[in-house]
Amino acid sequence: MATTAAAQLKHMACSSRSPASILNYPRTPSPQCQCQVPRPLASFLGAVHHRLKPSIVVVMEQDANHNAPPFSARFAEALGYYAALFDSLDAVAAASAAGDRAQVERMVLGEEIKNVLLCEGASRLERHERLSQWAMYMDASGFRRVPLSFRAIRESELKLASFGMSACRYQVESDGLLLGWGSTRLYSVSAWRPNKSGTRECAQRRAAISQARATFVSHARTARLAGLHGDACLAKLCGVIAADERRHEAAYTRASDRAFEEDPDGMVRALAAVMRAKVTMPGELMADGRDDRLFDHFSAVARRSGVYTAADYADMVEHFVRRWKVAELDAGLSGEGRRAQDYVCGLPRKIRRMEELAQDRAAQMEAQSVCFSWVFDRPVRIH
């Protein structure tokens, strides 16, 4: 009997078919080209693209090649993948009832494993693909990648840390986020947008210009203050960063100059969208484990010391309005474009008025200081 079993295992390893055929399942169809989108998936993604017309599509998938036709390759892939998945369940078993875990293993993972290994053809519903394969599918279906923001990555890191599982890993690859256990990748998360004509999709570039200019202004002023107070090293460091951000701004601005010539309506709407969403800086996610309002307090010090204020933000908006002659745009603007034009042109005045009100409120408040951990808990006045 042992000889017969060994012979069966050897046949299964060499076969391009699953042994599931013994259980009367349909056999696996012939493998497709790896860059070819399966017909049902192509039809579905086409309907999402052209009928739903979403602003963004988020794809979350088990990051494993469980769609390989050869049973031996699929079995080896599933063995390593689900071993890591069960190890992760062991790590959280203490926090959940044993009965709940048994139900998950039997009703969810057990059925999933059986479908991956035993079912073929139309009966096999679990056809997990790696992020690289999904990228080819989405590109071929008319979607473009949306890089994950620093904020999203930082929030993922903090969320993982809150669970206290040191073996849980994450990494950014191909503009997507990979979650794994140890060295085994388990899940991938990626974001996509439909490819569209026009320049509405250039709103992200508008935000990059604003961030680059704000970083240039703040670091240039910090360099000047550091020089006045005798810290030549800090002054030089901030000066280098400011010069680098100045070059970034110049490159983005030249590209936008051409875009405004080609599509003024789309560009003014993109500019308004960025300003309505507000330009946030990566420093918003700063944390020291103690002060829940650390960025607010840091910003208050920056305003009080003149490093960066709301008036600077208003000056920045006015600069771009003049650079791209937004107020003079007329021909070719749609109704939405004209509303965006009015909003952008009137924004500096609103910002300055809000800054005046904020200064009046601050003048009526009592002096307050906050201790910052990175300057050895030295109290710093914030207003």
Side-chain angles (χ1 to χ4, degrees):
M1 181 177 293
T3 304
T4 304
Q8 288 179 346
L9 287 173
K10 183 177 180 180
H11 172 73
M12 289 161 51
C14 298
S15 175
S16 61
R17 292 176 50 183
S18 165
S21 56
I22 302 172
L23 305 177
N24 298 320
Y25 286 104
R27 66 174 293 176
T28 301
S30 59
Q32 294 177 311
C33 172
Q34 289 296 300
C35 60
Q36 180 180 350
V37 186
R39 187 174 300 174
L41 181 59
S43 177
F44 172 76
L45 292 177
V48 170
H49 189 303
H50 300 292
R51 295 182 184 179
L52 294 181
K53 299 179 180 179
S55 298
I56 194 165
V57 176
V58 178
V59 178
M60 182 174 180
E61 170 75 319
Q62 286 97 320
D63 195 67
N65 186 18
H66 292 159
N67 199 25
F71 171 76
S72 58
R74 202 162 72 245
F75 178 83
E77 181 82 10
L79 181 63
Y81 179 86
Y82 287 103
L85 195 57
F86 279 106
D87 285 344
S88 69
L89 288 177
D90 287 336
V92 297
S96 60
D100 293 340
R101 176 179 174 179
Q103 288 186 353
V104 170
E105 292 180 353
R106 182 176 64 256
M107 301 177 64
V108 179
L109 297 181
E111 294 299 318
E112 187 175 290
I113 293 171
K114 284 195 293 185
N115 195 265
V116 167
L117 295 180
L118 301 181
C119 295
E120 300 292 359
S123 298
R124 179 142 57 88
L125 304 178
E126 304 292 347
R127 296 180 176 274
H128 310 143
E129 302 272 16
R130 293 197 179 279
L131 178 60
S132 57
Q133 189 66 34
W134 268 104
M136 287 190 282
Y137 290 159
M138 299 299 285
D139 287 338
S141 301
F143 292 86
R144 63 180 179 84
R145 308 182 194 201
V146 179
L148 295 176
S149 66
F150 175 84
R151 182 192 199 116
I153 296 171
R154 176 61 175 164
E155 288 180 351
S156 300
E157 182 182 1
L158 295 175
K159 181 65 70 174
L160 286 177
S162 68
F163 290 115
M165 295 184 292
S166 59
C168 194
R169 299 282 189 269
Y170 83 95
Q171 69 180 92
V172 178
E173 182 178 295
S174 301
D175 292 330
L177 185 66
L178 290 168
L179 302 176
W181 188 259
S183 60
T184 304
R185 300 174 176 181
L186 296 180
Y187 296 95
S188 66
V189 182
S190 56
W192 304 82
R193 279 200 180 99
N195 286 322
K196 299 178 182 179
S197 59
T199 50
R200 283 181 62 87
E201 62 189 44
C202 292
Q204 186 176 3
R205 188 186 299 166
R206 306 288 77 69
I209 299 175
S210 302
Q211 287 184 344
R213 187 172 182 85
T215 306
F216 158 70
V217 171
S218 61
H219 280 75
R221 288 181 180 167
T222 303
R224 181 177 60 81
L225 291 174
L228 290 175
H229 289 82
D231 194 331
C233 183
L234 179 60
K236 182 177 180 180
L237 178 63
C238 290
V240 170
I241 295 175
D244 193 39
E245 292 298 328
R246 188 67 160 179
R247 287 190 289 270
H248 290 171
E249 179 199 350
Y252 291 137
T253 302
R254 285 194 296 269
S256 297
D257 291 344
R258 182 62 183 272
F260 261 99
E261 294 174 3
E262 297 291 333
D263 184 10
D265 183 70
M267 288 298 293
V268 73
R269 286 185 284 135
L271 182 60
V274 169
M275 295 306 171
R276 288 191 176 99
K278 298 182 181 179
V279 179
T280 58
M281 305 299 289
E284 186 178 0
L285 295 175
M286 64 171 57
D288 64 356
R290 300 187 324 188
D291 188 353
D292 294 335
R293 298 184 57 205
L294 182 61
F295 181 73
D296 293 337
H297 294 152
F298 173 79
S299 299
V301 174
R303 287 194 299 271
R304 185 174 178 275
S305 59
V307 169
Y308 195 80
T309 67
D312 295 314
Y313 188 72
D315 291 341
M316 178 185 67
V317 177
E318 282 187 338
H319 167 76
F320 290 129
V321 167
R322 289 194 301 268
R323 168 87 186 202
W324 295 317
K325 301 178 180 179
V326 176
E328 301 172 21
L329 297 177
D330 187 16
L333 289 187
S334 63
E336 185 180 353
R338 293 186 184 280
R339 288 190 292 274
Q341 179 188 42
D342 293 340
Y343 172 79
V344 171
C345 292
L347 190 58
R349 183 174 62 256
K350 295 179 181 178
I351 295 173
R352 288 197 169 90
R353 179 55 181 161
M354 292 172 61
E355 173 69 0
E356 291 174 0
L357 294 175
Q359 290 179 354
D360 291 341
R361 288 194 298 270
Q364 299 173 7
M365 298 174 64
E366 295 182 0
Q368 180 183 356
S369 297
V370 172
C371 296
F372 290 90
S373 59
W374 63 74
V375 288
F376 309 104
D377 289 325
R378 173 187 171 186
V380 179
R381 184 178 173 185
I382 60 174
H383 62 71

